[in-house]
């Protein structure tokens, strides 16, 4: 029952998280598009009222006329629309999902026993949990400090972008050398997502509240509040596509299980930001395909780095003849010893699964043959068994790599 409750809680958190994320990201992308598509108002009356830009659009059978004020309109409506709960709900449900899926059993889900750094391989569950939380909240603190030190008045945003890119390279390298692969990619994405939601909570919304309060008091809003909100909002839009990939990456072991996983994460971050830049510029009336080209090059390089290794040659016996081919019976024996604790019709619930993960059962020869490519990939890049809890040996991994289904 406990495994079932954990699984159902995972479902509910994931569903709400995806719904909130779609709403937040969709609204964010829409407003960035709107902001970059504005034209100077044609009406002199609008210009005199402080309208800096406008856009006409048609959608769903209706026509829309959006206007943006340079500082503030003459009068604020009582039903002013705010955008923040989608952001907060996305982060809270994402953190809840992280607790359910990873922090509920950190020794299995966060610790990589084969990590190159011995202290990371020997972390306890409590130490791994502390390190994961340090990445999330420490990442925000470093990012926020960079923003305040490098471009406090939003005049050096180019240099700030370089600094944030370097920060994410460092985060990617450290995370993939400290945590298990799947958790590492998720934590990299969570650092960016935490910065995004914290930007809304600590800077964008407070600045907007100060602007509204000043207008209601008959005072001119501080223009820095608007500029700072725009700065953090722009950062959020470049984080968006990389975060989406990193949150989906746990389905693709070839990425987080590769030897150069940290560089693969970096390449996807740069590709996502570059492709997003293409659309931002396009909304300004330009089409600069160089951004697409750079993104595609990054993705192709990532695909090259993630490519599986070729099978090792068959070992030779003492008399110099190659050993016999690996049989399905040998593979099935390994599967029953190392895999079916989870991948069975009735998994061992101590690992937290009420049903076989991804519906994959590895009990019979037919089931094993049908999943041969997945087995060889996940066993070869050490992403299965999770945390190597069932102690699969290197000899067993090499035997599966030589197996020809």
């Amino acid at each position: 029952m406990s495994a079932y409750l954990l699984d159902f809680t995972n479902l509910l958190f994931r569903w709400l998280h995806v719904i909130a994320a779609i709403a937040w990201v969709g609204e964010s992308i829409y407003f960035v598009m709107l902001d970059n598509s504005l034209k100077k108002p044609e009406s002199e009356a609008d210009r005199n009222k402080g309208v800096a830009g406008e856009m006409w659009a048609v959608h769903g059978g209706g026509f829309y006329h959006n206007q943006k004020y340079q500082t503030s309109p003459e009068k604020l409506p009582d039903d002013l629309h705010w955008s923040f709960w989608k952001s907060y709900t996305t982060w809270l449900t994402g953190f809840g999902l992280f607790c359910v899926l990873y922090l509920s059993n950190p020794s299995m889900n966060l610790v990589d026993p084969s990590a190159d750094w011995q202290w990371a391989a020997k972390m306890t569950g409590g130490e791994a949990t502390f390190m994961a939380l340090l990445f999330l909240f420490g990442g925000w603190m470093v990012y926020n400090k960079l923003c305040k030190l490098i471009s406090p008045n939003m005049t050096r945003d180019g240099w700030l972008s370089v600094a944030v890119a370097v920060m994410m390279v460092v985060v990617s390298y450290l995370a993939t050398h400290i945590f298990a692969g799947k958790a590492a990619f998720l934590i990299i994405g969570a650092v960016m997502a935490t910065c995004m939601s914290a930007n809304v909570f600590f800077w964008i919304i407070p600045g907007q509240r100060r602007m509204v309060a000043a207008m209601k008091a008959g005072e001119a809003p501080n223009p820095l509040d608007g500029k700072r909100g725009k700065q953090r909002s722009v950062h959020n839009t470049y984080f968006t596509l990389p975060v989406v990939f990193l949150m989906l990456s746990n389905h693709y072991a070839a990425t987080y299980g590769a030897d150069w996983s940290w560089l693969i994460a970096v390449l996807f971050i740069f590709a996502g930001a570059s492709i997003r830049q293409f659309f931002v510029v396009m909304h300004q009336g330009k089409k600069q395909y160089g951004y697409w080209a750079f993104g595609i090059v990054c993705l192709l390089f990532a695909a090259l780095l993630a490519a599986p290794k070729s099978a090792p040659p068959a070992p030779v016996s003492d008399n110099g003849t190659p050993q016999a081919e690996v049989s399905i019976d040998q593979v099935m024996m390994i599967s029953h010893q190392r895999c079916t604790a989870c991948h069975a019709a009735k998994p061992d619930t101590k690992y937290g699964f009420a049903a076989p993960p991804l519906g994959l059962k590895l009990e019979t020869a037919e089931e094993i043959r049908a999943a041969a490519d997945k087995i060889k990939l996940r066993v070869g890049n050490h992403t299965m068994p999770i945390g190597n809890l069932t102690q699969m040996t290197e000899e067993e991994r090499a035997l599966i790599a030589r197996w020809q289904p």
Side-chain angles (χ1 to χ4, degrees):
M1 180 58 72
S2 61
Y4 164 74
L5 292 175
L6 188 67
D7 207 35
F8 202 78
T9 302
N10 168 14
L11 166 64
L12 295 180
F13 267 121
R14 191 182 296 272
W15 190 31
L16 181 55
H17 179 61
V18 170
I19 291 171
I22 290 172
W24 180 25
V25 171
E27 188 174 64
S28 175
I29 288 177
Y30 170 75
F31 272 102
V32 171
M33 180 278 296
L34 175 62
D35 201 51
N36 285 290
S37 301
L38 296 173
K39 308 293 183 183
K40 290 184 178 180
E42 297 180 359
S43 167
E44 184 176 352
D46 285 338
R47 293 195 295 271
N48 292 336
K49 289 190 299 182
V51 175
E54 63 182 2
M55 185 185 80
W56 284 88
V58 59
H59 182 77
F63 295 91
Y64 298 82
H65 184 203
N66 297 291
Q67 293 183 318
K68 178 181 178 179
Y69 288 80
Q70 186 65 44
T71 52
S72 58
E74 296 175 351
K75 181 182 178 182
L76 280 176
D78 295 331
D79 58 346
L80 184 65
H81 175 77
W82 293 78
S83 299
F84 54 86
W85 277 114
K86 302 176 187 69
S87 166
Y88 303 161
T89 304
T90 300
W91 190 89
L92 289 171
T93 54
F95 185 73
L97 195 59
F98 184 63
C99 292
V100 169
L101 293 180
Y102 290 88
L103 301 189
S104 61
N105 194 346
S107 297
M108 181 174 78
N109 297 317
L110 294 179
V111 179
D112 180 9
S114 62
D116 294 334
W117 298 349
Q118 289 301 308
W119 66 268
K122 297 178 180 178
M123 284 192 300
T124 65
E127 291 169 341
T129 297
F130 172 78
M131 289 298 298
L133 296 177
L134 181 62
F135 264 76
L136 263 62
F137 300 109
W140 154 249
M141 294 174 66
V142 171
Y143 161 78
N144 192 49
K145 182 63 70 174
L146 288 174
C147 291
K148 291 195 288 186
L149 287 177
I150 297 176
S151 187
N153 297 318
M154 284 61 68
T155 56
R156 303 177 67 198
D157 282 356
W159 286 108
L160 176 58
S161 298
V162 173
V164 173
V166 171
M167 170 190 146
M168 290 314 305
V169 172
V170 173
V171 167
S172 300
Y173 184 84
L174 293 177
T176 53
H177 283 76
I178 294 174
F179 301 104
K182 182 163 64 172
F185 270 42
L186 188 68
I187 288 170
I188 297 167
V191 169
M192 302 175 79
T194 298
C195 291
M196 292 172 67
S197 197
N199 277 340
V200 176
F201 184 80
F202 290 108
W203 290 104
I204 297 174
I205 295 302
Q208 291 176 348
R209 292 194 188 281
R210 287 192 294 269
M211 294 172 70
V212 171
M215 291 180 60
K216 290 183 176 179
E219 303 170 356
N222 184 348
L224 277 180
D225 282 326
K227 291 181 179 180
R228 188 173 291 114
K230 175 69 177 297
Q231 177 197 62
R232 300 302 179 102
S233 181
V234 168
H235 288 181
N236 282 3
T237 201
Y238 291 116
F239 283 153
T240 299
L241 297 188
V243 168
V244 170
F245 159 72
L246 290 162
M247 294 307 168
L248 295 174
S249 64
N250 61 350
H251 297 289
Y252 304 98
T255 57
Y256 64 77
D259 291 339
W260 290 87
S261 58
W262 72 271
L263 184 53
I264 292 172
V266 168
L267 289 168
F268 269 93
I269 290 171
F270 287 175
S274 182
I275 292 169
R276 186 73 191 100
Q277 172 67 3
F278 170 82
F279 288 103
V280 169
V281 172
M282 184 183 72
H283 295 143
Q284 297 172 347
K286 309 170 188 174
K287 290 186 179 179
Q288 298 181 358
Y289 291 100
Y291 292 115
W292 264 109
F294 177 76
I296 291 172
V297 169
C298 287
L299 295 177
L300 291 175
F301 191 22
L304 182 64
L305 292 175
K309 300 176 182 177
S310 58
V316 296
S317 59
D318 294 338
N319 61 10
T321 59
Q323 291 186 3
E325 293 183 358
V326 178
S327 69
I328 184 62
D329 291 332
Q330 290 174 283
V331 176
M332 190 158 58
M333 182 180 297
I334 297 172
S335 179
H336 285 177
Q337 290 178 334
R338 313 299 185 189
C339 307
T340 54
C342 298
H343 292 284
K346 294 183 179 180
D348 187 335
T349 55
K350 73 179 180 181
Y351 295 115
F353 298 109
L358 304 177
L360 182 64
K361 293 183 289 184
L362 301 175
E363 297 176 287
T364 68
E366 291 73 20
E367 291 168 343
I368 292 170
R369 285 196 181 95
D373 288 343
K374 293 180 180 179
I375 294 171
K376 290 168 74 70
L377 174 64
R378 300 297 297 272
V379 168
N381 61 23
H382 290 71
T383 56
M384 282 293 168
I386 296 177
N388 203 24
L389 291 179
T390 55
Q391 303 298 307
M392 181 177 284
T393 66
E394 290 303 315
E395 290 76 15
E396 290 169 335
R397 294 182 191 277
L399 186 144
I400 290 176
R402 292 194 294 110
W403 170 48
Q404 298 296 324

